[in-house]
Amino acid sequence: MTLEAQARAALARGDLAQAAQAAQQLAMTRPDDPAGYFLLGLAAAEAGQVAKALPMLEHAVARGPEAEHLAQYARLLILLRRDGEAGQAARQAWAMGQGDARTFDTIGCVLARLGDHAASLAPFEAAVAGEPDNLDYRYNLAAACGFTGRVEAAASHYEHILAADPGNARAHYGLSLLSRQTEAANPVPRLEAALARADRPEDALRIRYALAKSHEDMGHATEAFAHLSAANAAHKRAIGYDFVQDEAIFDAIERLFADGPPSGWGAGLESEDAPIFVTGMPRTGTTLVDRILSSHPLVGSAGELQAMPLAVKQMAGTRSRLVIDPDTIAASATADPLAMGQAYMARALHHRPEGKARFIDKLPANFLYIGHILHALPRAKIICLRRHPMDTIWSNYKNLFASQSTYYAYSYDLIDIARYYARFDRLMALWDRLFPGRVLQLSYEALVADQEGQTRRLLDHAGLAWDAACLSFHENDAAVATPSAAQVRQPLNADAVARWKRHEKALAPARDWLTSQGISVD
Protein backbone atom coordinates (compact mmCIF):
# COMPACT_ATOMS: atom_id res chain seq x y z
CA MET A 1 0.00 0.00 0.00
CA THR A 2 1.38 3.42 -0.93
CA LEU A 3 1.98 6.10 1.70
CA GLU A 4 -0.93 8.09 0.29
CA ALA A 5 -3.23 5.08 0.52
CA GLN A 6 -2.01 4.41 4.08
CA ALA A 7 -2.77 8.01 5.11
CA ARG A 8 -6.22 7.95 3.52
CA ALA A 9 -7.08 4.61 5.10
CA ALA A 10 -5.98 5.89 8.53
CA LEU A 11 -8.11 9.03 8.09
CA ALA A 12 -11.11 6.90 7.13
CA ARG A 13 -10.86 4.88 10.35
CA GLY A 14 -10.14 7.95 12.50
CA ASP A 15 -6.52 7.10 13.29
CA LEU A 16 -5.21 10.67 12.99
CA ALA A 17 -1.76 9.92 14.39
CA GLN A 18 -1.15 7.18 11.82
CA ALA A 19 -2.56 9.37 9.06
CA ALA A 20 -0.25 12.25 9.99
CA GLN A 21 2.76 9.94 10.17
CA ALA A 22 2.15 8.47 6.72
CA ALA A 23 1.39 11.90 5.23
CA GLN A 24 4.56 13.39 6.72
CA GLN A 25 6.66 10.57 5.24
CA LEU A 26 5.04 11.21 1.86
CA ALA A 27 5.75 14.94 2.06
CA MET A 28 9.38 14.32 3.00
CA THR A 29 10.07 11.70 0.32
CA ARG A 30 8.12 13.50 -2.43
CA PRO A 31 8.26 17.23 -1.56
CA ASP A 32 6.90 18.31 -4.95
CA ASP A 33 3.82 16.12 -4.63
CA PRO A 34 0.85 18.00 -3.10
CA ALA A 35 -0.72 14.82 -1.65
CA GLY A 36 1.48 14.66 1.45
CA TYR A 37 0.80 18.24 2.45
CA PHE A 38 -2.90 17.86 1.70
CA LEU A 39 -3.26 14.78 3.88
CA LEU A 40 -1.22 16.36 6.67
CA GLY A 41 -3.62 19.29 6.54
CA LEU A 42 -6.67 17.02 6.64
CA ALA A 43 -5.31 15.15 9.66
CA ALA A 44 -4.69 18.44 11.49
CA ALA A 45 -8.14 19.75 10.54
CA GLU A 46 -9.81 16.57 11.79
CA ALA A 47 -7.96 17.08 15.09
CA GLY A 48 -9.40 20.59 15.31
CA GLN A 49 -6.03 22.24 14.60
CA VAL A 50 -7.22 24.64 11.90
CA ALA A 51 -4.30 27.04 12.28
CA LYS A 52 -1.89 24.14 11.69
CA ALA A 53 -3.96 22.64 8.87
CA LEU A 54 -4.27 25.79 6.77
CA PRO A 55 -0.59 26.22 5.77
CA MET A 56 -0.40 22.53 4.84
CA LEU A 57 -3.33 22.95 2.45
CA GLU A 58 -1.77 26.14 1.11
CA HIS A 59 1.39 24.15 0.33
CA ALA A 60 -0.73 21.52 -1.44
CA VAL A 61 -2.64 24.07 -3.53
CA ALA A 62 0.60 25.85 -4.46
CA ARG A 63 1.99 22.60 -5.91
CA GLY A 64 -0.73 22.32 -8.51
CA PRO A 65 -4.36 22.81 -7.57
CA GLU A 66 -6.68 19.84 -7.54
CA ALA A 67 -10.41 20.08 -6.94
CA GLU A 68 -10.28 18.01 -3.75
CA HIS A 69 -7.49 20.16 -2.32
CA LEU A 70 -9.18 23.44 -3.22
CA ALA A 71 -12.51 22.32 -1.73
CA GLN A 72 -10.98 21.43 1.63
CA TYR A 73 -8.93 24.62 1.57
CA ALA A 74 -12.15 26.59 1.02
CA ARG A 75 -13.78 24.76 3.93
CA LEU A 76 -11.01 25.87 6.30
CA LEU A 77 -11.11 29.43 5.00
CA ILE A 78 -14.83 29.67 5.67
CA LEU A 79 -14.26 28.48 9.25
CA LEU A 80 -11.77 31.34 9.63
CA ARG A 81 -14.34 33.79 8.18
CA ARG A 82 -12.13 34.51 5.17
CA ASP A 83 -15.19 34.49 2.96
CA GLY A 84 -13.78 36.05 -0.20
CA GLU A 85 -10.87 33.61 -0.44
CA ALA A 86 -13.16 30.69 0.46
CA GLY A 87 -15.58 31.56 -2.34
CA GLN A 88 -12.77 31.93 -4.85
CA ALA A 89 -11.28 28.54 -3.92
CA ALA A 90 -14.66 26.77 -3.98
CA ARG A 91 -15.60 28.19 -7.37
CA GLN A 92 -12.20 27.31 -8.77
CA ALA A 93 -12.64 23.75 -7.50
CA TRP A 94 -16.06 23.46 -9.12
CA ALA A 95 -14.81 24.91 -12.42
CA MET A 96 -12.24 22.11 -12.66
CA GLY A 97 -15.09 19.68 -13.34
CA GLN A 98 -13.61 16.83 -11.37
CA GLY A 99 -13.83 15.31 -7.94
CA ASP A 100 -15.59 12.75 -5.82
CA ALA A 101 -18.91 13.13 -4.00
CA ARG A 102 -17.26 14.45 -0.84
CA THR A 103 -15.47 17.15 -2.80
CA PHE A 104 -18.67 18.22 -4.53
CA ASP A 105 -20.58 18.30 -1.25
CA THR A 106 -17.83 20.37 0.37
CA ILE A 107 -17.96 22.89 -2.49
CA GLY A 108 -21.74 23.12 -2.09
CA CYS A 109 -21.46 23.63 1.67
CA VAL A 110 -18.97 26.49 1.25
CA LEU A 111 -21.19 28.21 -1.31
CA ALA A 112 -24.21 27.75 0.96
CA ARG A 113 -22.30 29.25 3.90
CA LEU A 114 -21.59 32.23 1.65
CA GLY A 115 -25.33 32.57 1.01
CA ASP A 116 -25.07 31.54 -2.65
CA HIS A 117 -27.70 28.82 -2.45
CA ALA A 118 -28.44 28.92 -6.17
CA ALA A 119 -24.80 28.14 -6.98
CA SER A 120 -24.69 25.39 -4.35
CA LEU A 121 -27.37 23.34 -6.14
CA ALA A 122 -25.17 21.92 -8.90
CA PRO A 123 -22.37 20.71 -6.57
CA PHE A 124 -24.93 19.18 -4.21
CA GLU A 125 -26.63 17.43 -7.15
CA ALA A 126 -23.25 16.09 -8.27
CA ALA A 127 -22.56 14.80 -4.74
CA VAL A 128 -25.90 12.96 -4.62
CA ALA A 129 -25.33 11.56 -8.11
CA GLY A 130 -21.99 10.22 -6.94
CA GLU A 131 -23.30 8.73 -3.67
CA PRO A 132 -27.10 8.43 -3.84
CA ASP A 133 -27.30 6.64 -0.49
CA ASN A 134 -25.40 9.29 1.47
CA LEU A 135 -28.19 10.92 3.46
CA ASP A 136 -26.10 13.89 4.57
CA TYR A 137 -25.39 14.84 0.96
CA ARG A 138 -29.04 14.41 0.06
CA TYR A 139 -30.13 16.54 3.03
CA ASN A 140 -27.87 19.37 1.85
CA LEU A 141 -29.43 19.16 -1.59
CA ALA A 142 -32.95 19.11 -0.14
CA ALA A 143 -32.25 22.22 1.94
CA ALA A 144 -30.80 24.05 -1.08
CA CYS A 145 -33.87 23.14 -3.13
CA GLY A 146 -36.09 24.54 -0.40
CA PHE A 147 -34.13 27.79 -0.17
CA THR A 148 -34.37 28.30 -3.93
CA GLY A 149 -38.11 27.62 -4.23
CA ARG A 150 -37.85 24.11 -5.69
CA VAL A 151 -40.41 22.83 -3.22
CA GLU A 152 -41.40 19.59 -4.95
CA ALA A 153 -37.76 18.55 -5.41
CA ALA A 154 -36.98 19.39 -1.78
CA ALA A 155 -39.94 17.33 -0.57
CA SER A 156 -38.89 14.41 -2.75
CA HIS A 157 -35.36 14.42 -1.30
CA TYR A 158 -36.63 14.69 2.28
CA GLU A 159 -38.99 11.75 1.68
CA HIS A 160 -36.10 9.75 0.22
CA ILE A 161 -34.16 10.37 3.43
CA LEU A 162 -37.11 9.39 5.62
CA ALA A 163 -37.66 6.19 3.65
CA ALA A 164 -34.12 5.17 4.56
CA ASP A 165 -34.07 6.71 8.05
CA PRO A 166 -37.61 7.21 9.43
CA GLY A 167 -36.35 9.04 12.50
CA ASN A 168 -34.23 11.62 10.67
CA ALA A 169 -35.14 14.77 12.64
CA ARG A 170 -33.57 17.25 10.23
CA ALA A 171 -35.59 15.85 7.34
CA HIS A 172 -38.83 15.87 9.35
CA TYR A 173 -38.30 19.50 10.34
CA GLY A 174 -37.22 20.60 6.86
CA LEU A 175 -40.25 18.93 5.30
CA SER A 176 -42.62 20.62 7.76
CA LEU A 177 -41.38 24.07 6.69
CA LEU A 178 -41.94 23.59 2.96
CA SER A 179 -45.70 24.10 2.95
CA ARG A 180 -48.82 24.34 5.08
CA GLN A 181 -49.68 20.97 6.60
CA THR A 182 -53.23 19.64 6.17
CA GLU A 183 -55.57 17.09 7.73
CA ALA A 184 -55.72 15.28 4.40
CA ALA A 185 -52.00 14.54 4.48
CA ASN A 186 -51.73 14.55 8.28
CA PRO A 187 -48.02 14.18 9.18
CA VAL A 188 -48.66 13.96 12.94
CA PRO A 189 -48.73 10.14 13.36
CA ARG A 190 -45.42 9.76 11.54
CA LEU A 191 -43.88 12.60 13.57
CA GLU A 192 -45.13 11.14 16.85
CA ALA A 193 -43.57 7.79 15.96
CA ALA A 194 -40.28 9.56 15.19
CA LEU A 195 -40.45 11.46 18.49
CA ALA A 196 -40.94 8.21 20.40
CA ARG A 197 -37.71 6.88 18.85
CA ALA A 198 -35.66 10.09 19.27
CA ASP A 199 -32.75 9.41 21.59
CA ARG A 200 -30.90 12.74 21.24
CA PRO A 201 -32.14 16.06 22.64
CA GLU A 202 -31.42 17.85 19.34
CA ASP A 203 -33.55 15.32 17.46
CA ALA A 204 -36.44 15.66 19.90
CA LEU A 205 -36.19 19.45 19.62
CA ARG A 206 -36.56 19.43 15.81
CA ILE A 207 -39.32 16.83 15.77
CA ARG A 208 -41.31 18.70 18.40
CA TYR A 209 -40.97 21.89 16.35
CA ALA A 210 -42.20 19.98 13.29
CA LEU A 211 -45.15 18.69 15.34
CA ALA A 212 -45.93 22.19 16.60
CA LYS A 213 -45.81 23.60 13.05
CA SER A 214 -48.09 20.83 11.78
CA HIS A 215 -50.63 21.25 14.59
CA GLU A 216 -50.58 25.03 14.16
CA ASP A 217 -51.20 24.69 10.42
CA MET A 218 -54.18 22.42 11.10
CA GLY A 219 -55.66 24.69 13.76
CA HIS A 220 -54.79 22.54 16.79
CA ALA A 221 -53.63 25.39 19.04
CA THR A 222 -53.42 23.42 22.32
CA GLU A 223 -51.34 20.63 20.84
CA ALA A 224 -49.03 23.08 19.05
CA PHE A 225 -48.31 25.02 22.22
CA ALA A 226 -47.76 21.86 24.25
CA HIS A 227 -45.02 20.66 21.89
CA LEU A 228 -43.36 24.09 21.80
CA SER A 229 -43.46 24.38 25.58
CA ALA A 230 -41.80 20.99 26.04
CA ALA A 231 -39.19 21.59 23.32
CA ASN A 232 -38.26 25.09 24.45
CA ALA A 233 -38.07 24.30 28.16
CA ALA A 234 -35.73 21.38 27.49
CA HIS A 235 -33.52 23.41 25.17
CA LYS A 236 -33.28 26.36 27.54
CA ARG A 237 -32.06 23.96 30.23
CA ALA A 238 -29.58 22.41 27.81
CA ILE A 239 -27.96 25.72 26.84
CA GLY A 240 -28.06 27.14 30.36
CA TYR A 241 -29.43 30.50 29.25
CA ASP A 242 -30.11 33.33 31.69
CA PHE A 243 -31.53 36.65 30.51
CA VAL A 244 -28.80 38.51 32.40
CA GLN A 245 -26.49 37.55 29.50
CA ASP A 246 -28.45 39.66 27.02
CA GLU A 247 -29.30 42.31 29.59
CA ALA A 248 -25.58 42.95 30.09
CA ILE A 249 -25.17 43.52 26.33
CA PHE A 250 -28.04 46.02 26.20
CA ASP A 251 -26.61 47.77 29.27
CA ALA A 252 -23.18 48.03 27.62
CA ILE A 253 -24.63 49.54 24.43
CA GLU A 254 -26.65 52.09 26.38
CA ARG A 255 -23.58 53.06 28.44
CA LEU A 256 -21.46 53.45 25.30
CA PHE A 257 -23.94 55.81 23.64
CA ALA A 258 -25.49 57.40 26.73
CA ASP A 259 -24.25 60.88 25.79
CA GLY A 260 -23.90 60.45 22.03
CA PRO A 261 -20.89 58.94 20.25
CA PRO A 262 -17.83 57.96 22.30
CA SER A 263 -15.35 60.82 22.69
CA GLY A 264 -12.67 60.77 20.03
CA TRP A 265 -14.77 59.15 17.35
CA GLY A 266 -14.12 60.85 14.04
CA ALA A 267 -15.75 60.67 10.63
CA GLY A 268 -16.75 57.37 9.07
CA LEU A 269 -16.56 56.01 5.55
CA GLU A 270 -18.45 58.20 3.06
CA SER A 271 -19.25 55.39 0.64
CA GLU A 272 -21.52 56.22 -2.29
CA ASP A 273 -22.85 52.65 -2.41
CA ALA A 274 -23.56 52.44 1.31
CA PRO A 275 -25.74 49.48 2.25
CA ILE A 276 -29.36 49.33 3.27
CA PHE A 277 -29.65 47.65 6.67
CA VAL A 278 -32.90 45.81 7.38
CA THR A 279 -33.05 45.17 11.12
CA GLY A 280 -35.47 44.32 13.90
CA MET A 281 -36.37 41.41 16.09
CA PRO A 282 -36.52 38.21 14.05
CA ARG A 283 -39.79 37.03 12.50
CA THR A 284 -41.20 40.56 12.31
CA GLY A 285 -41.13 41.06 8.53
CA THR A 286 -37.41 41.55 7.87
CA THR A 287 -37.37 38.94 5.10
CA LEU A 288 -40.49 40.47 3.55
CA VAL A 289 -38.88 43.93 3.42
CA ASP A 290 -35.65 42.43 2.08
CA ARG A 291 -37.67 40.88 -0.78
CA ILE A 292 -39.54 44.10 -1.48
CA LEU A 293 -36.32 46.13 -1.68
CA SER A 294 -34.40 43.52 -3.67
CA SER A 295 -37.20 43.47 -6.25
CA HIS A 296 -36.02 46.96 -7.20
CA PRO A 297 -33.76 46.80 -10.29
CA LEU A 298 -30.94 48.71 -8.56
CA VAL A 299 -30.89 46.60 -5.39
CA GLY A 300 -29.70 43.11 -4.50
CA SER A 301 -29.77 41.24 -1.21
CA ALA A 302 -26.50 40.14 0.35
CA GLY A 303 -28.38 38.12 2.96
CA GLU A 304 -27.78 38.08 6.70
CA LEU A 305 -24.18 39.22 6.96
CA GLN A 306 -21.96 38.97 10.01
CA ALA A 307 -19.89 41.80 8.55
CA MET A 308 -20.82 44.53 11.05
CA PRO A 309 -20.58 42.37 14.20
CA LEU A 310 -17.21 41.09 12.99
CA ALA A 311 -15.99 44.58 12.06
CA VAL A 312 -16.83 45.83 15.56
CA LYS A 313 -15.18 42.77 17.11
CA GLN A 314 -12.08 43.31 14.96
CA MET A 315 -11.82 46.99 15.89
CA ALA A 316 -12.47 46.28 19.59
CA GLY A 317 -9.65 43.73 19.66
CA THR A 318 -11.16 41.64 22.48
CA ARG A 319 -10.09 38.01 22.72
CA SER A 320 -13.35 36.45 23.88
CA ARG A 321 -14.83 33.74 21.67
CA LEU A 322 -18.18 35.53 21.49
CA VAL A 323 -18.73 38.00 18.65
CA ILE A 324 -20.78 40.27 20.91
CA ASP A 325 -20.38 40.63 24.67
CA PRO A 326 -20.23 43.57 27.10
CA ASP A 327 -16.42 43.78 26.97
CA THR A 328 -16.42 43.98 23.16
CA ILE A 329 -19.05 46.74 23.18
CA ALA A 330 -17.09 48.70 25.79
CA ALA A 331 -13.77 48.24 23.97
CA SER A 332 -15.26 49.50 20.72
CA ALA A 333 -15.23 52.98 22.28
CA THR A 334 -11.59 53.30 21.15
CA ALA A 335 -12.32 52.15 17.58
CA ASP A 336 -11.90 54.38 14.55
CA PRO A 337 -15.27 54.66 12.74
CA LEU A 338 -13.50 55.05 9.38
CA ALA A 339 -11.56 51.81 9.91
CA MET A 340 -14.74 50.14 11.12
CA GLY A 341 -16.57 51.16 7.96
CA GLN A 342 -13.70 49.97 5.80
CA ALA A 343 -13.59 46.63 7.64
CA TYR A 344 -17.34 46.21 7.13
CA MET A 345 -17.22 46.97 3.41
CA ALA A 346 -14.24 44.64 2.91
CA ARG A 347 -16.23 41.75 4.43
CA ALA A 348 -19.50 42.64 2.71
CA LEU A 349 -17.81 42.91 -0.70
CA HIS A 350 -17.69 39.13 -1.13
CA HIS A 351 -21.45 38.77 -0.63
CA ARG A 352 -22.68 41.61 -2.81
CA PRO A 353 -24.87 40.58 -5.76
CA GLU A 354 -23.25 41.34 -9.10
CA GLY A 355 -24.61 44.10 -11.28
CA LYS A 356 -26.48 45.94 -8.51
CA ALA A 357 -25.74 49.52 -7.46
CA ARG A 358 -27.00 48.99 -3.89
CA PHE A 359 -27.14 46.04 -1.53
CA ILE A 360 -29.10 44.98 1.54
CA ASP A 361 -27.64 43.57 4.75
CA LYS A 362 -30.53 41.75 6.38
CA LEU A 363 -29.09 40.61 9.71
CA PRO A 364 -31.95 41.36 12.16
CA ALA A 365 -29.56 41.72 15.12
CA ASN A 366 -27.90 44.73 13.50
CA PHE A 367 -30.37 46.83 15.52
CA LEU A 368 -27.81 46.36 18.32
CA TYR A 369 -25.19 48.07 16.17
CA ILE A 370 -27.14 51.06 14.85
CA GLY A 371 -24.90 53.47 16.75
CA HIS A 372 -21.80 51.88 15.26
CA ILE A 373 -23.32 51.69 11.77
CA LEU A 374 -24.34 55.34 11.52
CA HIS A 375 -20.90 56.52 12.61
CA ALA A 376 -18.93 54.01 10.54
CA LEU A 377 -21.14 54.37 7.43
CA PRO A 378 -22.80 57.80 7.58
CA ARG A 379 -24.60 57.25 4.25
CA ALA A 380 -26.14 53.94 5.33
CA LYS A 381 -29.90 53.60 5.27
CA ILE A 382 -31.51 51.72 8.15
CA ILE A 383 -34.96 50.19 8.41
CA CYS A 384 -36.18 48.58 11.62
CA LEU A 385 -39.26 46.38 11.48
CA ARG A 386 -41.79 46.73 14.27
CA ARG A 387 -44.56 44.21 14.87
CA HIS A 388 -47.24 43.95 17.56
CA PRO A 389 -45.42 42.96 20.78
CA MET A 390 -47.47 39.79 21.28
CA ASP A 391 -47.10 38.65 17.67
CA THR A 392 -43.37 39.31 18.03
CA ILE A 393 -43.20 37.16 21.15
CA TRP A 394 -45.28 34.35 19.64
CA SER A 395 -43.35 34.31 16.36
CA ASN A 396 -40.03 34.14 18.21
CA TYR A 397 -41.27 31.38 20.51
CA LYS A 398 -42.59 29.15 17.72
CA ASN A 399 -39.65 29.35 15.30
CA LEU A 400 -36.52 27.29 15.67
CA PHE A 401 -33.53 29.49 14.97
CA ALA A 402 -29.92 28.29 14.81
CA SER A 403 -30.13 26.29 18.01
CA GLN A 404 -26.57 27.03 19.18
CA SER A 405 -26.54 30.72 18.24
CA THR A 406 -26.24 33.16 21.15
CA TYR A 407 -28.24 35.71 19.12
CA TYR A 408 -31.43 33.72 19.68
CA ALA A 409 -30.80 32.12 23.08
CA TYR A 410 -33.58 34.23 24.60
CA SER A 411 -36.23 32.70 22.31
CA TYR A 412 -36.98 29.52 24.30
CA ASP A 413 -38.93 31.14 27.14
CA LEU A 414 -41.92 33.48 26.91
CA ILE A 415 -40.82 35.82 29.71
CA ASP A 416 -37.27 35.93 28.34
CA ILE A 417 -38.67 36.99 24.96
CA ALA A 418 -40.86 39.62 26.62
CA ARG A 419 -37.84 40.99 28.48
CA TYR A 420 -35.81 41.01 25.29
CA TYR A 421 -38.60 42.83 23.47
CA ALA A 422 -38.72 45.47 26.21
CA ARG A 423 -34.97 46.11 25.94
CA PHE A 424 -35.20 46.17 22.14
CA ASP A 425 -37.99 48.73 22.39
CA ARG A 426 -35.95 50.84 24.81
CA LEU A 427 -32.86 50.69 22.61
CA MET A 428 -34.81 51.78 19.54
CA ALA A 429 -36.04 54.79 21.53
CA LEU A 430 -32.39 55.66 22.25
CA TRP A 431 -31.45 55.44 18.56
CA ASP A 432 -34.42 57.66 17.68
CA ARG A 433 -33.23 60.25 20.18
CA LEU A 434 -29.60 60.15 19.01
CA PHE A 435 -30.31 59.86 15.27
CA PRO A 436 -33.67 61.52 14.58
CA GLY A 437 -35.02 60.57 11.18
CA ARG A 438 -32.13 58.23 10.38
CA VAL A 439 -33.93 54.97 11.18
CA LEU A 440 -37.27 54.17 9.56
CA GLN A 441 -39.31 52.17 12.05
CA LEU A 442 -41.71 50.35 9.76
CA SER A 443 -44.83 48.68 11.11
CA TYR A 444 -45.46 45.19 9.75
CA GLU A 445 -49.20 45.65 10.29
CA ALA A 446 -49.17 48.98 8.43
CA LEU A 447 -47.31 47.37 5.52
CA VAL A 448 -49.92 44.62 5.31
CA ALA A 449 -52.78 47.14 5.47
CA ASP A 450 -51.32 49.60 2.94
CA GLN A 451 -48.79 47.78 0.79
CA GLU A 452 -48.23 50.48 -1.82
CA GLY A 453 -48.21 53.43 0.57
CA GLN A 454 -45.71 51.81 2.95
CA THR A 455 -43.60 50.51 0.06
CA ARG A 456 -43.31 54.07 -1.29
CA ARG A 457 -42.29 55.22 2.20
CA LEU A 458 -39.72 52.43 2.37
CA LEU A 459 -38.20 53.23 -1.02
CA ASP A 460 -38.12 56.94 -0.25
CA HIS A 461 -36.20 56.32 2.98
CA ALA A 462 -33.72 54.09 1.12
CA GLY A 463 -33.17 56.80 -1.51
CA LEU A 464 -34.69 54.74 -4.31
CA ALA A 465 -37.07 55.84 -7.06
CA TRP A 466 -40.47 54.20 -7.22
CA ASP A 467 -40.63 50.91 -9.10
CA ALA A 468 -43.83 48.87 -9.32
CA ALA A 469 -41.81 45.62 -9.31
CA CYS A 470 -41.48 46.09 -5.55
CA LEU A 471 -45.20 45.32 -5.20
CA SER A 472 -44.63 41.93 -6.87
CA PHE A 473 -41.92 40.81 -4.44
CA HIS A 474 -43.42 37.29 -4.41
CA GLU A 475 -42.22 36.85 -8.00
CA ASN A 476 -38.61 37.45 -6.93
CA ASP A 477 -36.84 34.13 -7.57
CA ALA A 478 -33.77 34.76 -5.39
CA ALA A 479 -33.00 32.20 -2.68
CA VAL A 480 -34.46 32.63 0.81
CA ALA A 481 -32.68 30.85 3.67
CA THR A 482 -35.06 31.71 6.53
CA PRO A 483 -38.19 30.15 8.05
CA SER A 484 -40.21 32.65 5.96
CA ALA A 485 -39.13 31.10 2.65
CA ALA A 486 -42.60 29.78 1.84
CA GLN A 487 -44.49 32.92 2.95
CA VAL A 488 -42.46 35.43 0.92
CA ARG A 489 -43.13 33.52 -2.29
CA GLN A 490 -46.83 34.41 -1.89
CA PRO A 491 -48.57 37.79 -2.31
CA LEU A 492 -48.85 39.93 0.82
CA ASN A 493 -51.76 38.93 3.06
CA ALA A 494 -52.98 39.47 6.61
CA ASP A 495 -52.81 35.82 7.72
CA ALA A 496 -50.03 36.49 10.23
CA VAL A 497 -51.61 39.58 11.81
CA ALA A 498 -52.85 39.00 15.39
CA ARG A 499 -52.02 35.30 15.14
CA TRP A 500 -51.00 35.34 18.80
CA LYS A 501 -54.68 35.52 19.79
CA ARG A 502 -55.07 31.83 18.93
CA HIS A 503 -52.91 31.24 22.01
CA GLU A 504 -54.10 34.17 24.13
CA LYS A 505 -54.50 32.17 27.34
CA ALA A 506 -51.13 30.42 27.06
CA LEU A 507 -49.41 33.72 26.27
CA ALA A 508 -51.05 35.57 29.17
CA PRO A 509 -47.90 35.57 31.39
CA ALA A 510 -45.92 37.40 28.70
CA ARG A 511 -48.79 39.83 28.07
CA ASP A 512 -49.11 40.57 31.80
CA TRP A 513 -45.38 41.16 32.10
CA LEU A 514 -45.34 43.61 29.19
CA THR A 515 -48.33 45.45 30.65
CA SER A 516 -46.51 45.72 33.98
CA GLN A 517 -43.67 47.45 32.13
CA GLY A 518 -46.00 49.99 30.56
CA ILE A 519 -45.83 48.44 27.07
CA SER A 520 -49.18 48.54 25.29
CA VAL A 521 -50.46 45.23 23.97
CA ASP A 522 -53.87 46.44 22.76
Side-chain angles (χ1 to χ4, degrees):
M1 185 183 291
T2 65
L3 287 171
E4 180 176 353
Q6 289 177 38
R8 288 184 181 275
L11 278 172
R13 64 175 182 268
D15 188 346
L16 301 183
Q18 182 60 43
Q21 183 179 354
Q24 188 166 24
Q25 278 187 267
L26 178 58
M28 290 175 63
T29 56
R30 297 171 59 184
D32 295 329
D33 187 338
Y37 299 98
F38 171 68
L39 293 167
L40 264 175
L42 277 194
E46 289 295 316
Q49 300 169 335
V50 176
K52 182 179 177 181
L54 191 68
M56 293 297 102
L57 289 179
E58 286 172 343
H59 284 311
V61 169
R63 281 161 173 74
E66 297 180 19
E68 181 187 24
H69 302 174
L70 283 164
Q72 295 301 325
Y73 180 47
R75 181 175 70 89
L76 293 189
L77 288 170
I78 206 79
L79 292 175
L80 296 170
R81 301 185 187 274
R82 290 165 60 177
D83 292 0
E85 296 164 89
Q88 184 178 11
R91 292 183 175 94
Q92 185 182 352
W94 176 244
M96 296 181 77
Q98 56 179 295
D100 58 7
R102 182 188 183 194
T103 294
F104 293 138
D105 181 71
T106 302
I107 294 168
C109 287
V110 170
L111 295 173
R113 281 283 298 272
L114 291 170
D116 196 348
H117 298 286
S120 75
L121 275 169
F124 284 145
E125 286 170 345
V128 169
E131 290 187 26
D133 296 329
N134 188 308
L135 301 187
D136 289 334
Y137 297 169
R138 194 174 288 274
Y139 173 83
N140 291 338
L141 176 56
C145 287
F147 294 153
T148 53
R150 295 160 172 79
V151 174
E152 290 184 7
S156 175
H157 289 302
Y158 284 134
E159 290 291 359
H160 186 107
I161 293 168
L162 292 172
D165 178 12
N168 192 294
R170 294 193 304 168
H172 280 299
Y173 180 62
L175 191 59
S176 74
L177 294 179
L178 289 177
S179 59
R180 184 180 294 273
Q181 305 302 307
T182 65
E183 298 279 4
N186 189 349
V188 168
R190 182 167 72 165
L191 286 168
E192 287 177 340
L195 180 62
R197 293 192 298 269
D199 54 7
R200 296 190 310 169
E202 279 286 315
D203 289 343
L205 177 72
R206 288 189 174 90
I207 294 169
R208 282 197 182 277
Y209 264 87
L211 276 161
K213 163 71 163 53
S214 300
H215 280 299
E216 180 79 0
D217 285 351
M218 293 185 289
H220 310 156
T222 301
E223 293 87 344
F225 196 90
H227 280 295
L228 284 174
S229 180
N232 286 340
H235 193 61
K236 181 181 176 179
R237 287 193 300 271
I239 62 176
Y241 175 75
D242 190 314
F243 183 72
V244 297
Q245 299 163 220
D246 278 312
E247 190 167 41
I249 291 171
F250 281 105
D251 288 345
I253 296 168
E254 291 180 353
R255 280 194 300 270
L256 183 65
F257 292 98
D259 302 310
S263 60
W265 270 22
L269 179 64
E270 295 283 349
S271 175
E272 292 292 337
D273 57 351
I276 303 166
F277 289 88
V278 176
T279 71
M281 283 191 66
R283 307 297 297 144
T284 57
T286 54
T287 302
L288 170 62
V289 167
D290 177 74
R291 300 292 278 189
I292 291 171
L293 288 170
S294 62
S295 296
H296 194 285
L298 297 181
V299 182
S301 177
E304 297 187 5
L305 303 184
Q306 289 289 321
M308 184 52 67
L310 290 173
V312 172
K313 180 73 174 179
Q314 178 184 337
M315 294 299 107
T318 51
R319 301 184 66 83
S320 61
R321 297 187 66 180
L322 296 172
V323 174
I324 186 170
D325 54 38
D327 289 344
T328 297
I329 295 297
S332 71
T334 61
D336 174 9
L338 175 60
M340 195 185 301
Q342 290 170 334
Y344 170 85
M345 293 299 283
R347 290 182 182 278
L349 174 67
H350 308 299
H351 300 267
R352 293 187 58 172
E354 293 183 8
K356 301 291 184 178
R358 306 280 299 282
F359 72 96
I360 305 162
D361 181 338
K362 202 223 84 171
L363 181 70
N366 272 330
F367 76 83
L368 295 166
Y369 294 95
I370 286 174
H372 294 88
I373 291 168
L374 288 176
H375 285 98
L377 298 163
R379 294 176 181 263
K381 303 297 183 181
I382 302 179
I383 296 104
C384 180
L385 269 294
R386 302 303 302 259
R387 191 177 179 186
H388 187 285
M390 294 305 297
D391 270 331
T392 300
I393 290 171
W394 171 239
S395 65
N396 274 248
Y397 191 66
K398 76 184 183 73
N399 281 281
L400 180 59
F401 303 106
S403 59
Q404 300 304 316
S405 172
T406 56
Y407 281 131
Y408 310 112
Y410 68 85
S411 68
Y412 303 100
D413 180 276
L414 288 172
I415 299 301
D416 286 340
I417 305 171
R419 288 172 176 158
Y420 196 94
Y421 178 89
R423 292 307 300 263
F424 157 75
D425 188 59
R426 190 167 112 183
L427 185 59
M428 292 312 302
L430 173 65
W431 298 143
D432 259 0
R433 178 171 63 81
L434 294 178
F435 308 104
R438 295 299 312 279
V439 180
L440 173 63
Q441 297 202 45
L442 189 73
S443 161
Y444 172 78
E445 289 81 9
L447 179 59
V448 169
D450 178 18
Q451 181 181 0
E452 182 172 337
Q454 293 300 313
T455 299
R456 287 183 180 277
R457 185 172 172 234
L458 179 63
L459 294 177
D460 183 62
H461 181 78
L464 296 165
W466 170 253
D467 194 293
C470 295
L471 297 178
S472 303
F473 64 88
H474 54 286
E475 297 175 2
N476 187 333
D477 61 1
V480 186
T482 74
S484 342
Q487 295 97 305
V488 296
R489 298 191 190 281
Q490 302 168 3
L492 194 59
N493 59 70
D495 286 355
V497 174
R499 191 173 285 176
W500 70 275
K501 289 189 175 179
R502 299 179 186 176
H503 306 275
E504 191 164 6
K505 184 177 180 180
L507 295 173
R511 179 176 183 168
D512 292 346
W513 189 90
L514 287 178
T515 302
S516 74
Q517 302 301 304
I519 297 173
S520 174
V521 292
D522 293 332

